[in-house]
Structure formats: structure tokens, C-alpha cells
């Protein structure tokens, strides 16, 4: 029993020693932290430079193009006139490259010194009577363009079918509106 008590006292002593050591470690590891207040950061506001208020000029909008006689052997021979883009006129298309079933006019070659092929229809379907925007779309759809006033007046697209030779045909030649400006 004496041994038992001795072991028990030793264990209690060790526990007391360990507890004391743990408390000492805790005391040593506890550190007081003092945080000094940070000074305020100065904020400087730089005014934004003014945004320029100039407005870019609006480009001229073309509202008139020339229409020209469909062939030089008709009553309208040599005539061209100004037409508003919303007017309806016949359509002939021109191409700078050869196209199957399109006509190349010898008078066009001699007058302009270059080849131009013309057409008034695709297959059996005539291009028709249209406003200017629609006429441009029709020609673009067949890989061509509207003829210029000059090309129409020298017969680059004459005698291409649909009976348009005595009609005023849309051209790609823009013109100034009444008053001398593009409106």
C-alpha cells in the first residue's frame, strides 16, 4: 500500500508539475498586441477634364440619282434627268466582267475604251420597275451593279430585252438635289 501511495503521489506531483509548466507556457505565449491607429489617407480629387461637345458632321445623304434613256435609237435619245430615290424606274445592270447571256455592246467599247456587259433580266424574268435602293439590290444579287449615266447614254445596256430601251433607267450616278446640295 505504501508503494501504491508513493506512485499515486508521484503521479499527482507530475500532474501538478505538468499543469504548472502548461500555465507557464501559456503565460509566455500570450503576447499583448497593441495596434496603433493609422493616420487617415489623404484623398485628392482631380477634376475630370470636360468632354468635347463638338459633333462630327453628318455625311451628305444622297437622295437623287440620274436616270438616263435606255437606248440612243429611241425618242428619249441622249436624255438624262434627276430622280428622287423613291421614284420608280426601270432597271438595267452592268458588269465589268463577262456574264453568261449578258450583252457586250461594241458602241460601249468604242465610246469608253473598255468592256461593259449589260442586262435587263435574269433568265426570263425582267428586273422590273423599282425604287433606287431596290434597283441596287437587284443588280448586286446577280453579281453586277447599276450602270453609270455615261454607260447608259452610250448604249452599254441597250437592246438587252424587256422593252426598256425607250424608258428612263436608274443609274449609279448621284446628283445634287434642287438647291445644289445632297439632301
Amino acid at each position: 500500500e505504501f508503494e501504491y501511495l508513493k506512485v499515486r503521489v508521484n503521479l499527482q506531483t507530475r500532474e501538478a508539475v505538468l499543469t504548472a509548466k502548461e500555465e507557464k507556457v501559456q503565460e509566455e505565449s500570450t503576447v499583448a498586441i497593441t495596434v496603433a491607429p493609422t493616420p487617415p489617407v489623404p484623398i485628392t480629387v482631380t477634376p475630370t477634364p470636360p468632354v468635347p461637345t463638338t459633333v462630327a458632321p453628318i455625311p451628305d445623304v444622297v437622295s437623287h440619282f440620274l436616270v438616263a434613256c435606255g437606248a440612243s435609237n429611241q425618242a428619249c435619245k441622249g436624255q438624262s434627268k434627276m430622280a428622287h430615290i423613291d421614284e420608280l424606274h426601270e432597271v438595267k445592270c452592268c458588269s465589268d466582267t463577262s456574264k453568261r447571256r449578258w450583252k457586250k455592246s461594241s458602241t460601249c467599247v468604242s465610246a469608253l475604251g473598255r468592256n461593259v456587259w449589260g442586262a435587263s433580266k435574269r433568265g426570263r424574268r425582267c428586273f422590273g420597275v423599282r425604287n433606287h435602293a431596290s434597283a441596287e439590290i437587284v443588280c448586286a444579287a446577280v453579281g453586277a451593279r447599276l450602270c453609270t449615266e455615261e454607260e447608259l447614254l452610250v448604249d452599254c445596256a441597250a437592246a438587252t430585252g424587256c422593252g426598256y430601251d425607250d424608258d428612263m433607267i436608274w443609274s449609279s450616278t448621284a446628283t445634287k438635289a434642287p438647291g445644289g446640295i445632297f439632301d
Side-chain angles (χ1 to χ4, degrees):
E1 197 172 299
F2 180 70
E3 277 301 315
Y4 170 75
L5 287 177
K6 189 176 173 183
V7 170
R8 191 172 171 193
V9 170
N10 279 342
L11 285 175
Q12 286 176 346
T13 306
R14 281 187 187 165
E15 283 179 14
V17 168
L18 285 174
T19 303
K21 283 183 180 177
E22 286 174 358
E23 288 174 0
K24 187 175 181 184
V25 168
Q26 283 179 354
E27 285 175 15
E28 289 174 358
S29 63
T30 304
V31 177
I33 299 175
T34 307
V35 178
T38 56
V41 177
I43 298 174
T44 56
V45 177
T46 306
T48 306
V51 177
T53 57
T54 58
V55 177
I58 298 171
D60 290 333
V61 176
V62 178
S63 64
H64 291 79
F65 285 82
L66 294 177
V67 290
C69 184
S72 63
N73 63 353
Q74 300 298 316
C76 61
K77 175 183 179 176
Q79 293 179 34
S80 64
K81 67 177 188 172
M82 179 178 16
H84 189 272
I85 57 174
D86 292 332
E87 289 181 31
L88 300 177
H89 291 281
E90 286 73 9
V91 179
K92 292 186 178 194
C93 301
C94 286
S95 174
D96 298 318
T97 58
S98 176
K99 295 200 170 292
R100 187 172 171 229
R101 296 189 185 132
W102 284 44
K103 182 179 176 191
K104 180 174 84 170
S105 168
S106 59
T107 59
C108 184
V109 174
S110 63
L112 301 179
R114 60 186 169 85
N115 292 322
V116 177
W117 287 263
S120 300
K121 59 186 173 182
R122 181 179 196 171
R124 294 182 184 198
R125 188 174 183 162
C126 295
F127 294 144
V129 177
R130 300 173 178 272
N131 66 26
H132 192 269
S134 179
E136 287 181 320
I137 291 168
V138 164
C139 291
V142 295
R145 57 180 170 74
L146 284 175
C147 304
T148 65
E149 174 201 26
E150 181 182 37
E151 290 168 338
L152 291 168
L153 294 177
V154 297
D155 292 337
C156 292
T160 54
C162 298
Y164 296 162
D165 285 352
D166 196 28
D167 294 315
M168 299 303 279
I169 310 298
W170 276 119
S171 79
S172 61
T173 308
T175 188
K176 292 185 178 185
I181 59 169
F182 289 107
D183 68 348

